[in-house]
Amino acid sequence: MPHYYSPDSAAGDHAIRGHIVTVKADPFLFSDALVEYNDGLIIIEGGVITAVGEYAEMKDKLQPDTHVDHHPDGIITAGFIDTHVHYVQTGIIAAFGAQLIDWLNTYTFVAEQKFADKAYADAVAKVFFDQLLANGTTTALTFCAVYPDSVDAFFEEASRRNMRMAGGKVLMNRNAPEHLLDTTQSGYDDSKALIEKWHGKGRNHYAVTPRFAPTSTQDQLEAAATLLREYPGTLMHTHVSENLGEIAWVKSLFPDANGYLDVYDRAGLLQPGAVLAHGVHLTAHERLRVHETGSAISHCPTSNLFLGSGLFHVHQAKNHTHPMKVGLGTDIGAGTSFSLLSTMNEAYKVAQLVQYPLDAVKMLYLATLGSAEAMGLEDKIGSIEVGKEADLVVLDTKATPLLEFRSAQVETLEEQLFVLATMGDDRVIHTTYIAGNVAYSRDGH
Ligand code: GUN
Ligand code: ZN
């Protein structure tokens, strides 16, 4: 039986031993980004990695009373980071038959109204965090609903689990049902109060969250930019250029703007820590602006396929002259899986359809360090290195009979990682560590 554990604040120093694999640089730009310790050791103090290397070379550093978790059969890697997900859409995964705007009107805006009820929001937040941990996801950048209570439910649960999480209240003051709308002033005031309450408390980060250009007036987008200036270090989270009908709509709503991205650019929303979901149809000039402003794209392949939005060109996004920061997103509930392994699998197929073989090291990077860089958190999370927080996942290469059979044939680490990405999902997640403590164990021990 899977088991979830509460954070153990009394946990002393300890260590984790096994086959350690991590990506410590951007493999789209640098070779030798992958680091491997075949029989490695991670020493953890106060939730932070203080040493990592080969066990044989490090065992003398271990204090006699240090507890060592040994995973002789797994692959230990950095916890997965989901750069775009809607916890309030957990209940509408797999909603049939619509593309973006119809999907929003038919399913999403109906589902999000339920989050006016705090008890309901609390219950869904619990399901959501259980799913993150069971899928090896240790950090996520999350849309909440328009209601401040839905943000409280989110950060209360994040705090209980001691997870490094980012989220925010959706800002939308037009083009949605009456009950889901705020105003420029109330959206600003509510966001400000939530930032004061949650940002920087424990491991929580607030994200100023205008839903997308069609549901905010110019005024509201500018108020969002004011919040970002007033609270440096807060993130910005929105959607951009996901669907061709959406792009045409933005053009008609903002006729003076020079394209979709320019709506956000003119409002002052583009900066490091700004994460824009999708960007499937960005022009070369828009990609350059994302690069220049230090903003990031969250690539959400399961969602882009499910809603028929289009194919993201990851090799264009990560070109050598003006690479954008790119992370992976599940985009639940338009996305179809909480698993970043499944998301890698679909990212591979999307890249294949535009003639680019996306290799496993690049996929693992996108799901870990690339996502941390997109959120501006690469000094804290995203790889297994000294000084980073010990948010880790242990992957079981023998999780199913077929995976065990296939893993027995692999000849290289890259091949093993590719097999895990292609065939893996939550069944592969053996253990998830948060700040060095076991938070989830698939087998309950
Ligand atoms: N664009 C605006 N809102 C949404 C949303 O909730 N999901 C997706 N995928 N795209 C959006
Ligand atoms: Zn989304």
Side-chain angles (χ1 to χ4, degrees), residues 21-28 33-35 75-83 135-140 297 299 318 325-329 340-341 343-344 360-385 388-389 391-395 417 429:
V21 175
T22 190
V23 183
K24 68 162 190 347
D26 182 346
F28 289 93
L34 191 68
V35 176
I75 288 182
I76 303 167
T77 192
F80 297 131
I81 300 173
D82 185 345
T83 54
N135 282 281
T137 300
T138 49
T139 289
I297 296 296
H299 174 30
K318 299 296 297 181
K325 293 177 199 166
V326 177
L328 283 185
L340 280 160
L341 292 169
T343 306
M344 290 183 214
V361 178
K362 294 188 177 82
M363 290 198 279
L364 183 61
Y365 163 78
L366 289 173
T368 56
L369 185 62
S371 284
E373 289 170 348
M375 295 173 68
L377 297 178
E378 69 276 13
D379 59 331
K380 297 182 175 64
I381 54 173
S383 61
I384 302 176
E385 291 179 88
K388 292 213 185 180
E389 296 163 348
D391 291 346
L392 307 167
V393 61
V394 182
L395 307 176
L417 293 174
I429 307 303

Side-chain angles (χ1 to χ4, degrees), residues 3-273:
H3 194 82
Y4 296 86
Y5 299 83
S6 300
D8 180 1
S9 56
D13 302 346
H14 57 291
I16 302 170
R17 178 179 173 187
H19 184 184
I20 297 166
V21 175
T22 190
V23 183
K24 68 162 190 347
D26 182 346
F28 289 93
L29 306 177
F30 302 100
S31 50
D32 301 333
L34 191 68
V35 176
E36 175 185 25
Y37 303 103
N38 268 305
D39 179 11
L41 187 72
I42 302 167
I43 301 180
I44 298 159
E45 291 173 25
V48 173
I49 298 168
T50 55
V52 56
E54 288 293 350
Y55 177 77
E57 291 162 23
M58 291 179 50
K59 61 178 189 298
D60 296 343
K61 288 192 190 174
L62 282 174
Q63 304 296 325
D65 57 343
T66 300
H67 175 77
V68 180
D69 280 359
H70 193 189
H71 297 283
D73 295 328
I75 288 182
I76 303 167
T77 192
F80 297 131
I81 300 173
D82 185 345
T83 54
H84 180 65
V85 59
H86 302 250
Y87 100 81
V88 291
Q89 295 175 13
T90 304
I92 54 156
I93 302 168
F96 173 75
Q99 297 211 349
L100 177 61
I101 304 302
D102 290 337
W103 176 84
L104 285 173
N105 288 321
T106 312
Y107 300 111
T108 318
F109 291 157
V110 178
E112 293 190 11
Q113 291 183 48
K114 296 188 196 165
F115 287 78
D117 174 0
K118 174 71 167 34
Y120 181 75
D122 287 340
V124 177
K126 184 175 181 317
V127 172
F128 175 79
F129 278 84
D130 280 354
Q131 282 302 312
L132 294 183
L133 289 172
N135 282 281
T137 300
T138 49
T139 289
L141 173 55
T142 312
F143 265 65
C144 303
V146 74
Y147 315 106
D149 274 358
S150 73
V151 182
D152 285 342
F154 171 77
F155 280 123
E156 283 162 11
E157 195 62 38
S159 304
R160 268 194 283 280
R161 313 232 184 184
N162 190 32
M163 287 168 70
R164 189 164 286 290
M165 294 292 291
K169 175 203 126 58
V170 166
L171 296 164
M172 46 179 173
N173 65 357
R174 62 169 171 174
N175 292 324
E178 185 70 31
H179 279 103
L180 280 181
L181 295 181
D182 54 17
T183 65
T184 299
Q185 190 63 46
S186 74
Y188 172 85
D189 292 344
D190 287 346
S191 300
K192 196 179 182 77
L194 289 164
I195 293 169
E196 297 276 353
K197 186 168 181 182
W198 293 112
H199 184 65
K201 301 281 158 58
R203 303 183 81 196
N204 297 323
H205 300 260
Y206 195 84
V208 177
T209 308
R211 178 171 217 117
F212 68 155
T215 46
S216 288
T217 58
Q218 177 72 24
D219 217 34
Q220 182 163 60
L221 296 176
E222 286 169 9
T226 302
L227 287 166
L228 293 173
R229 280 194 303 276
E230 289 174 341
Y231 295 94
T234 51
L235 304 184
M236 199 286 289
H237 191 194
T238 191
H239 299 89
V240 74
S241 290
E242 175 178 3
N243 165 289
L244 295 175
E246 170 207 21
I247 295 168
W249 192 20
V250 171
K251 206 178 169 84
S252 72
L253 291 169
F254 295 90
D256 297 338
N258 182 24
Y260 193 159
L261 187 82
D262 192 48
V263 174
Y264 301 142
D265 204 353
R266 287 182 186 205
L269 291 168
L270 302 183
Q271 59 182 41

